[in-house]
Amino acid sequence: MVIDSRKDARAASASPIVPTRLMVSGVTGLVTDGGFRDIAEIPALAMPSYHQKPSAPTNLTVHQAIAINNPIGCGDVAVFPGDVLLGEDGGVMVIPATIAASVAQEASEMTLYEICLRKVDADYPINDFYPLPMIKFVQHLKLRKKLKVLIRRLNLLHRQDLELCTL
């Protein structure tokens, strides 16, 4: 679930009660460009949550729920129903639903490339393959061929991640 608080953390977008109820109802993550109350409790929930900063006042002093499943802006980013959100320690990325599958495929390919680079890096110093010389590129291709099963597994994992993260 994504909450548009217009980047205003003067009042909380949620306290632990609402996120807990949302989680029990099947919500798999919570993102706001505002703040949360009682922030020690929300991260302890079994779903990821992201907020701008802690906020003590209750949400009704500044924020009002207006609509559900409508396009919104969150942190200056347009978010539409069906978009995929991917979050980590560094922040949250919004992936439009129309390109989510191709982004997952490209991310799988990039992950595989990075695995190959780590393997090549284990055998050669880093300055030996930036830019990647032809012999190392061929080694990369051979390793990539051996890892076709890994590509399939990564694609499956990304598909599962996308299904879990879809709003």
Side-chain angles (χ1 to χ4, degrees), residues 6 9 17 22 37 40 48 53 59 69-70 78 80 84 94 105 115 117 132 146 150-151 155:
R6 300 165 320 283
I17 296 168
L22 290 169
R37 286 186 58 166
K53 63 182 179 180
N59 64 339
N69 269 343
N70 284 351
F80 293 86
V84 175
V94 177
Q105 176 65 35
I115 290 168
L117 283 183
L132 196 62
K146 290 179 185 177
L150 179 59
I151 291 174
N155 286 335

Side-chain angles (χ1 to χ4, degrees), residues 50-65:
Y50 301 89
H51 67 283
Q52 183 190 137
K53 63 182 179 180
S55 181
T58 61
N59 64 339
L60 297 179
T61 60
V62 178
H63 307 297
Q64 298 290 325

Side-chain angles (χ1 to χ4, degrees), residues 18-136:
V18 172
T20 301
R21 292 185 70 171
L22 290 169
M23 183 184 71
V24 170
S25 301
V27 171
T28 58
L30 185 60
V31 177
T32 181
D33 58 357
F36 288 147
R37 286 186 58 166
D38 306 322
I39 61 162
E41 295 175 46
I42 295 174
L45 296 174
M47 71 173 181
S49 60
Y50 301 89
H51 67 283
Q52 183 190 137
K53 63 182 179 180
S55 181
T58 61
N59 64 339
L60 297 179
T61 60
V62 178
H63 307 297
Q64 298 290 325
I66 296 174
I68 296 174
N69 269 343
N70 284 351
I72 63 168
C74 186
D76 293 331
V77 176
V79 182
F80 293 86
D83 285 352
V84 175
L85 275 68
L86 182 61
E88 62 178 14
D89 292 342
V92 178
M93 177 188 323
V94 177
I95 305 169
T98 55
I99 63 168
S102 62
V103 169
Q105 176 65 35
E106 190 169 330
S108 296
E109 294 288 327
M110 190 64 200
T111 300
L112 181 60
Y113 180 71
E114 289 172 0
I115 290 168
C116 292
L117 283 183
R118 280 190 218 108
K119 168 66 176 130
V120 173
D121 190 28
D123 296 334
Y124 300 96
I126 193 153
N127 57 355
D128 282 354
F129 65 94
Y130 275 109
L132 196 62
M134 185 53 70
I135 184 131
K136 299 207 176 68

Side-chain angles (χ1 to χ4, degrees), residues 104-105 107-113 115 147-161:
Q105 176 65 35
S108 296
E109 294 288 327
M110 190 64 200
T111 300
L112 181 60
Y113 180 71
I115 290 168
L147 296 175
K148 278 187 177 181
V149 173
L150 179 59
I151 291 174
R152 285 190 211 109
R153 287 183 186 159
L154 286 171
N155 286 335
L156 178 61
L157 288 174
H158 282 292
R159 262 189 242 114
Q160 290 170 346
D161 287 346

